[in-house]
Amino acid sequence: MLELRHLRTLAALHETGSVSHAAKRVHLTQSALSHQIKVLQSHYGLPIIQRRGQSIELTDAGKRLVALADKVLQEIQATERDLAKISQQPSGSLRIVLECHTCFDWLMPLMDEFRQHWPDVELDLVSGFHSDPVKLLEEGGADVVIGSEHKRRRGIVHHPLFRFEILAVLAPEHPLRGKRILHAADFAGETLITYPVPEDRIDLILNVLKPSGINPQRRTAELTVAILQLVASRRGVAALPSWGLKNYVDHDYVIARRIGANGLWSDLYASTLKETASRPYLLDFLVTARNTCFATLDGIVPLE
Amino acid sequence: MLELRHLRTLAALHETGSVSHAAKRVHLTQSALSHQIKVLQSHYGLPIIQRRGQSIELTDAGKRLVALADKVLQEIQATERDLAKISQQPSGSLRIVLECHTCFDWLMPLMDEFRQHWPDVELDLVSGFHSDPVKLLEEGGADVVIGSEHKRRRGIVHHPLFRFEILAVLAPEHPLRGKRILHAADFAGETLITYPVPEDRIDLILNVLKPSGINPQRRTAELTVAILQLVASRRGVAALPSWGLKNYVDHDYVIARRIGANGLWSDLYASTLKETASRPYLLDFLVTARNTCFATLDGIVPLE
DNA sequence: CATATCTATGAATGTTATTCATTAGTTCTT
DNA sequence: AAGAACTAATGAATAACATTCATAGATATG
């Protein structure tokens, strides 16, 4: 008989287009999902997915079930929000510190949605640069920090969001365009265009260039589009999350290349105080964040 | 974590207003449901139901979950209809023979709904009296018989619908009004108002009066309202399913009394050919029938 | 006050979802 | 062309947990 677990995996299958990735998404093994799919298929006497070489494709029946899953899971989340509001006062504050500049892309629509669901929660974006943002939590100046920090610290919980790849961005005519993969040495003599943050906040410098003793010139820009514009006009190269690049790459505005053999990856966490972690609106925020990111952002991977 | 099984029991709890009746409805033990409820309550940190002496009452949280359950279960049924249509041609015929006259009450709206869901299925009500309606199935003259017959017969499946109580109906000023329970002897000297069917189709006569050698005068009417009108105007007494009586009893148009210490109960089945039983639209018809009946008809009990 | 009927609960059971270990197929590299 | 690195599928073993059983407490009914 159909159960919600099936719908949850269906949704994950749709998001990821692969059984093993979907498995990570729902915190199960690939085998478990494979068995679930088998049960579903024999229950309805219909194929749900179809192997298409490497990955899989949903059949018509599968798509119909995904449509159901989307609707149902949304309704469940809405219900659970209501239950949370019944069980306690739905007020409080959610002041967000954003360490990852590009994350504005997905955070903005998310905040709009959140405001609708929790009108009584004071929602804010804490602006300005902070050397130790997690400290802000302890000082009571913020409620969530979205960044890649996740070292254990007492009183603090790091909620995993997702892992994403950072790609090198070049102008289409850039001399390095012929290489499929860039290494540290390739950045020597280049100008690196970044957000205006210290070196130790830039993964490329911290994890790739510094260890190789490479120290390119830097130039900063506040906005992602500005960085891309500079790259396209050959003022330098940049390193940005893969998800925000798709549109620009598809239109040949810039090209993107992997950094290092395995790629340069970064993990994103939402950190809160332990006490804050149990607030229903915070949990709802996290769930919604993960859901919308996995649904809209290409190439991201579940964490943990 | 919330699962559909929880939603199914929630819906049943709402329908029946009792844990043990709901348990029968979903084919589980009372204990199983009690455990399920406990899990849900501790999961959400909220009471779902509240004991109110004999029976139970849903809390606000419970009601919210029931609302979810109704919506979700409906969507699932719609999806499964669509899947059935994908897997095979959604055409065929559903010609219904109705042995139970009062059943028109719930069958009419049900047929309207069915027509919307399965526009390509030829839906009909087979009229006229039939001495052996199940034979009609074998002869190909009908597809379902709704009645109380359920003796084993090869090639035939009897799908249980529900059990209902047949109550004696009297005028408010009837001499027998003082008795809480009527017995066979009480019907001696009364005029029995029935549908125009043979004696062996009338449970009261077959199971109560005949065995006691009581043989009251009979008078017939085609429609339930007509029977009630005759009863109210003191032309006789009748025996009708409890569910159709509520409105009339509430308005003191007639009064209803139990027949025999344990009451007179009748079981309703939908009988089909074995081959017909697997047709998706037939299964959908059965599910919908049970659902709407349990949702709208008071005092009916799950069968088997 | 006895009886029938309801719900709650802990322990035992049974079912079944999940993992483990393995095989087979596909893509990409060298 | 062969190997490496991915995929997905499958049967058996395991772990998890839903359900039943047995029972006690509670609440109406007569």
Side-chain angles (χ1 to χ4, degrees):
Chain A
M1 194 164 235
L2 188 69
E3 282 295 345
L4 287 181
R5 115 183 62 93
H6 301 300
L7 295 185
R8 289 187 247 265
T9 72
L10 256 309
L13 280 172
H14 176 63
E15 276 173 8
T16 61
S18 131
V19 179
S20 40
H21 290 167
K24 290 200 191 88
R25 178 90 179 78
V26 296
H27 303 292
L28 289 173
T29 58
Q30 169 268 319
S31 177
L33 291 218
S34 209
H35 283 294
Q36 279 192 10
I37 295 165
K38 201 180 170 192
V39 167
L40 273 184
Q41 298 193 139
S42 70
H43 180 251
Y44 287 118
L46 281 168
I48 305 290
I49 61 173
Q50 202 177 338
R51 290 202 60 162
R52 259 186 100 71
Q54 193 69 281
S55 61
I56 56 157
E57 200 185 30
L58 286 157
T59 63
D60 284 353
K63 284 178 194 146
R64 182 65 187 85
L65 283 170
V66 166
L68 173 71
D70 287 345
K71 220 185 303 173
V72 165
L73 295 177
Q74 236 181 300
E75 280 161 1
I76 288 174
Q77 213 196 339
T79 303
E80 296 187 332
R81 260 194 301 270
D82 290 347
L83 292 184
K85 287 174 190 166
I86 290 176
S87 77
Q88 56 187 100
Q89 283 308 318
S91 58
S93 69
L94 191 68
R95 292 157 302 168
I96 307 173
V97 179
L98 203 56
E99 271 196 87
C100 156
H101 274 65
T102 325
C103 293
F104 274 112
D105 290 355
W106 55 262
L107 188 63
M108 279 303 158
L110 180 64
M111 285 175 72
D112 291 342
E113 202 185 331
F114 184 87
R115 234 184 294 268
Q116 293 182 350
H117 292 152
W118 302 91
D120 294 330
V121 172
E122 192 194 316
L123 182 65
D124 258 318
L125 208 53
V126 180
S127 59
F129 173 76
H130 307 279
S131 58
D132 184 1
V134 172
K135 205 171 168 189
L136 271 179
L137 299 175
E138 290 157 347
E139 291 167 346
D143 301 294
V144 209
V145 173
I146 294 177
S148 49
E149 181 179 330
H150 62 283
K151 57 170 178 283
R152 294 184 60 83
R153 207 155 146 171
R154 41 182 263 105
I156 302 288
V157 203
H158 302 291
H159 311 269
L161 289 177
F162 56 84
R163 164 170 295 179
F164 61 94
E165 183 169 6
I166 297 168
L167 297 177
V169 195
L170 315 171
E173 329 81 28
H174 195 283
L176 288 168
R177 70 180 173 288
K179 305 195 67 172
R180 294 178 42 89
I181 293 175
L182 302 189
H183 295 91
D186 296 321
F187 289 89
E190 296 286 341
T191 298
L192 189 61
I193 301 164
T194 68
Y195 297 106
V197 293
E199 287 197 346
D200 60 352
R201 285 290 173 76
I202 297 169
D203 291 276
L204 177 63
I205 296 178
L206 197 65
N207 300 321
V208 180
L209 303 186
K210 261 281 168 53
S212 307
I214 310 250
N215 198 11
Q217 224 184 322
R218 269 183 71 197
R219 179 168 176 178
T220 63
E222 275 281 358
L223 300 170
T224 312
V225 278
I227 294 179
L228 285 164
Q229 197 265 316
L230 288 170
V231 168
S233 55
R234 311 179 63 173
R235 312 294 176 78
V237 302
L240 291 171
S242 66
W243 79 71
L245 261 32
K246 194 172 186 317
N247 276 327
Y248 301 95
V249 170
D250 285 350
H251 291 86
D252 296 319
Y253 188 61
V254 293
I255 58 175
R257 292 291 178 263
R258 168 158 286 194
I259 299 166
N262 300 316
L264 175 61
W265 294 83
S266 180
D267 297 347
L268 215 56
Y269 294 85
S271 309
T272 65
L273 290 181
K274 216 174 206 167
E275 328 147 30
T276 318
S278 60
R279 301 223 183 121
Y281 65 82
L282 188 273
L283 295 171
D284 185 54
F285 176 78
L286 293 176
V287 171
T288 315
R290 274 187 283 252
N291 281 348
T292 61
C293 287
F294 281 111
T296 55
L297 272 31
D298 277 329
I300 69 173
V301 166
L303 214 44
E304 265 191 347
Chain B
M1 193 164 236
L2 188 69
E3 283 295 346
L4 285 181
R5 111 184 65 94
H6 298 127
L7 296 184
R8 289 187 246 265
T9 72
L10 256 309
L13 280 172
H14 176 65
E15 276 171 6
T16 61
S18 130
V19 178
S20 41
H21 289 167
K24 290 201 190 87
R25 179 89 179 78
V26 295
H27 303 293
L28 289 173
T29 58
Q30 168 266 319
S31 178
L33 262 63
S34 208
H35 283 293
Q36 280 192 10
I37 294 165
K38 201 182 170 190
V39 167
L40 273 184
Q41 298 193 138
S42 69
H43 180 253
Y44 288 118
L46 282 168
I48 306 289
I49 61 172
Q50 202 177 337
R51 290 202 58 163
R52 259 186 98 71
Q54 195 67 280
S55 61
I56 56 156
E57 198 185 30
L58 287 156
T59 63
D60 284 352
K63 284 179 194 146
R64 182 64 186 86
L65 282 170
V66 166
L68 173 72
D70 287 345
K71 221 186 301 174
V72 166
L73 296 176
Q74 237 181 299
E75 280 161 2
I76 288 174
Q77 214 196 338
T79 303
E80 296 187 331
R81 261 194 301 269
D82 290 346
L83 291 183
K85 287 174 190 167
I86 290 176
S87 78
Q88 56 187 102
Q89 283 308 317
S91 58
S93 68
L94 190 68
R95 292 157 302 169
I96 306 171
V97 180
L98 202 56
E99 272 196 87
C100 157
H101 273 66
T102 326
C103 292
F104 274 112
D105 290 355
W106 55 262
L107 188 61
M108 280 302 160
L110 181 63
M111 285 175 72
D112 291 341
E113 202 185 331
F114 183 88
R115 234 184 294 267
Q116 293 181 352
H117 291 153
W118 302 90
D120 294 329
V121 172
E122 191 193 317
L123 183 64
D124 257 317
L125 208 53
V126 180
S127 59
F129 173 76
H130 307 278
S131 57
D132 184 0
V134 172
K135 204 171 171 187
L136 270 180
L137 299 175
E138 289 156 349
E139 291 167 346
D143 302 292
V144 208
V145 173
I146 294 176
S148 50
E149 180 179 331
H150 62 281
K151 57 170 178 284
R152 295 184 59 84
R153 207 155 146 171
R154 43 182 262 104
I156 302 287
V157 202
H158 303 291
H159 312 269
L161 289 177
F162 55 85
R163 166 169 294 178
F164 61 93
E165 184 169 6
I166 298 168
L167 297 177
V169 194
L170 316 170
E173 330 81 28
H174 195 282
L176 287 168
R177 70 181 173 289
K179 307 194 68 173
R180 293 182 43 91
I181 293 174
L182 303 188
H183 295 92
D186 295 321
F187 290 88
E190 295 288 339
T191 299
L192 189 61
I193 302 164
T194 67
Y195 298 105
V197 294
E199 289 197 345
D200 59 353
R201 286 288 174 77
I202 298 168
D203 291 276
L204 176 63
I205 296 177
L206 197 64
N207 301 320
V208 180
L209 304 185
K210 262 280 167 55
S212 307
I214 310 248
N215 197 10
Q217 223 185 324
R218 270 183 70 198
R219 179 167 176 177
T220 63
E222 275 281 359
L223 301 170
T224 312
V225 278
I227 294 179
L228 285 164
Q229 196 266 317
L230 287 170
V231 168
S233 55
R234 311 180 62 172
R235 312 295 175 79
V237 302
L240 291 171
S242 65
W243 80 70
L245 261 33
K246 195 172 186 314
N247 276 328
Y248 302 96
V249 170
D250 285 351
H251 292 86
D252 295 319
Y253 188 61
V254 294
I255 58 176
R257 292 290 179 265
R258 169 158 284 192
I259 299 164
N262 300 315
L264 174 61
W265 294 82
S266 180
D267 296 347
L268 215 56
Y269 295 84
S271 309
T272 65
L273 291 181
K274 215 175 208 166
E275 329 147 29
T276 318
S278 59
R279 302 223 181 120
Y281 65 81
L282 188 273
L283 294 172
D284 184 55
F285 175 79
L286 293 177
V287 171
T288 314
R290 274 186 284 252
N291 281 346
T292 60
C293 287
F294 281 110
T296 54
L297 270 33
D298 278 328
I300 70 173
V301 166
L303 214 44
E304 263 189 349

